[in-house]
Amino acid sequence: MTAPTHAAFALTCGLLAGVPETGLGLLAAGALLPDLDHPQSALGRLLFFLSMPINRYLGHRRSWHGFFLWGLVTLSGLFFAPLSPLSWIGAGALSHVFLDCLNVSGVQALSPFSEKICVLFDRRFRIVTGSQAELALLVIFGSFAWAGHYVGTMGGLRALVGAITGSTRMAMEQYRRRGAELCYMKGRLRWKNGRIEEGRWRIVGPEGLNGLAIVSGKGIVHVPENAEFLSCRLDCTGKRLQTASLAGWARTRTPAFFFDGRKWKCGRPGDIIFGQIVAAKLELETIDAGEDGI
């Protein structure tokens, strides 16, 4: 496969998986690295001083095209830091090796432990590099990448499945990954008295492993203590909230929510709050421990 096809395939996989923008660029770059073992490849011509010795000692589509090498790079990145640049580069290179199994000649993907040629399909269905079939494949990957961009903005395939199925667990997992962003839960809520309500509720924050605090006309509702979602999907605004973590006490000048270590509570202007705090606009006035009888 040519460089554009490898890059498009890596980007398609990344977009569908909800990889952040910084990771996408590294995936695409990593998808070109295995072809350093060929001096006539796009990257090989650019970095000929590396490509020629690699080709001389390792050959083409052998160890430098092996799952072992790039799997080791990916795992090394994960060892030093989750989702580090090295892991994205390794993952992009792995996508390259996988895609080369579609070539007519295949690739020694198990090298250096085996010289077996790895292919995905019967020879009739494999693709000649630079052929019209590869061009068609590039168009397909491009289309998937376009669709994947939308899926990626939703948080990847898992988030899309959660939105379609209305899975409460998936929606809550997705929310926890969004950080300090203003988000809503939209769906159907069943109260403890059995009444079912459909609507859209602002999320205050998570409580414990599976709990969630939301805002309704009754104030803060603790899910699942006060109610439970029958189905829901996450609706994020992209607006970042201001947060703070206090070791002591403070008086808030603006409406704010605070977490006392067990539950989220609502603080109105002038209230004394503590713990983890979140608000659209945060203005705090620190106070002494003895003030107001504290």
Side-chain angles (χ1 to χ4, degrees), residues 15-18 146-160:
L15 286 166
L16 290 174
W146 177 81
H149 176 70
Y150 172 73
V151 176
T153 59
M154 295 184 65
L157 284 175
R158 184 175 178 82
L160 179 62

Side-chain angles (χ1 to χ4, degrees), residues 158 168-173 175-176 185 203 205-214 221-229 232 259 262 264:
R158 184 175 178 82
T168 302
R169 180 178 178 181
M170 288 186 177
M172 290 179 68
E173 288 179 357
Y175 168 69
R176 290 174 184 270
M185 278 295 189
I203 300 175
E207 294 180 339
L209 294 177
N210 302 308
L212 193 70
I214 59 176
V221 176
H222 305 280
V223 179
E225 180 181 334
N226 305 130
E228 62 177 342
F229 281 106
C232 64
F259 186 67
R262 193 173 68 91
W264 284 95

Side-chain angles (χ1 to χ4, degrees), residues 1 4-6 8-12 99 102 134 136-146:
M1 301 295 173
T5 305
H6 282 298
F9 179 64
L11 287 173
T12 298
L99 193 61
L102 269 175
E134 184 185 350
L137 196 64
L138 178 60
V139 172
I140 292 172
F141 288 151
S143 300
F144 272 109
W146 177 81

